[in-house]
Amino acid sequence: MTVGALVVGLVVAIGATISVTGPWYYALNLPDYAPDGRLFALGWTAIYGLSAIAGASAWRASPPREGDLLIAALALTGFLNIGWSYLFFHFHLPRWALFECLFLLPSALALVVQAARFSRGSAVLLFPYVGWVSFAAWFTWDVVQLNPGL
């Protein structure tokens, strides 16, 4: 459990540092519904918090050794989240971030399914995460469409 908390804390810290918006983000042609750049960091932080609670709860409810797949799904999804943030905010590559969403969204759904095996409440706590990832994919699609030169 301590290792899981450290991993989630590390993912949150990394995500917060690379999801920093700046002149590049604000110079983009953004869709009308685009959130203020600060909301990305706040959104991800809240989502990671719920994900950590969900992951810990489902892991505690799992039989010994069966929770390993859950932890692997949580780690994979966290890694993909960091990847999206790096691609979009740090490297300014929204097309690649969009491509990465082809892996991020299914991994988020797989995480919900895996958590539901052990705790339905944990799976429900992950719904905002799936919603946020879906929003990120939609937003990335629109940014790519509105900025064809990227």
Side-chain angles (χ1 to χ4, degrees):
M1 179 65 176
T2 303
V3 173
L6 288 173
V7 169
V8 169
L10 181 63
V11 168
V12 168
I14 292 170
T17 60
I18 60 176
S19 294
V20 175
T21 56
W24 174 82
Y25 176 78
Y26 292 108
L28 291 171
N29 294 318
L30 297 171
D32 293 337
Y33 64 85
D36 182 273
R38 295 170 290 195
L39 289 179
F40 280 106
L42 291 173
W44 280 122
T45 301
I47 296 300
Y48 280 140
L50 288 173
S51 297
I53 293 166
S57 177
W59 181 73
R60 283 186 173 184
S62 70
R65 297 190 185 220
E66 286 190 44
D68 292 349
L69 190 55
L70 173 74
I71 297 302
L74 191 59
L76 173 64
T77 303
F79 172 76
L80 290 170
N81 270 313
I82 290 171
W84 183 91
S85 293
Y86 258 111
L87 290 168
F88 192 91
F89 289 112
H90 184 73
F91 293 118
H92 307 156
L93 297 170
R95 288 185 190 281
W96 283 99
L98 181 61
F99 177 74
E100 201 257 12
C101 287
L102 296 173
F103 303 95
L104 179 56
L105 187 53
S107 77
L109 293 169
L111 179 59
V112 171
V113 169
Q114 189 63 26
R117 290 183 56 216
F118 308 118
S119 167
R120 292 199 190 282
S122 294
V124 169
L125 286 177
L126 291 168
F127 288 172
Y129 174 72
V130 172
W132 187 258
V133 169
S134 299
F135 172 79
W138 178 33
F139 174 78
T140 306
W141 169 265
D142 282 346
V143 166
V144 168
Q145 297 305 307
L146 292 169
N147 298 276
L150 293 178

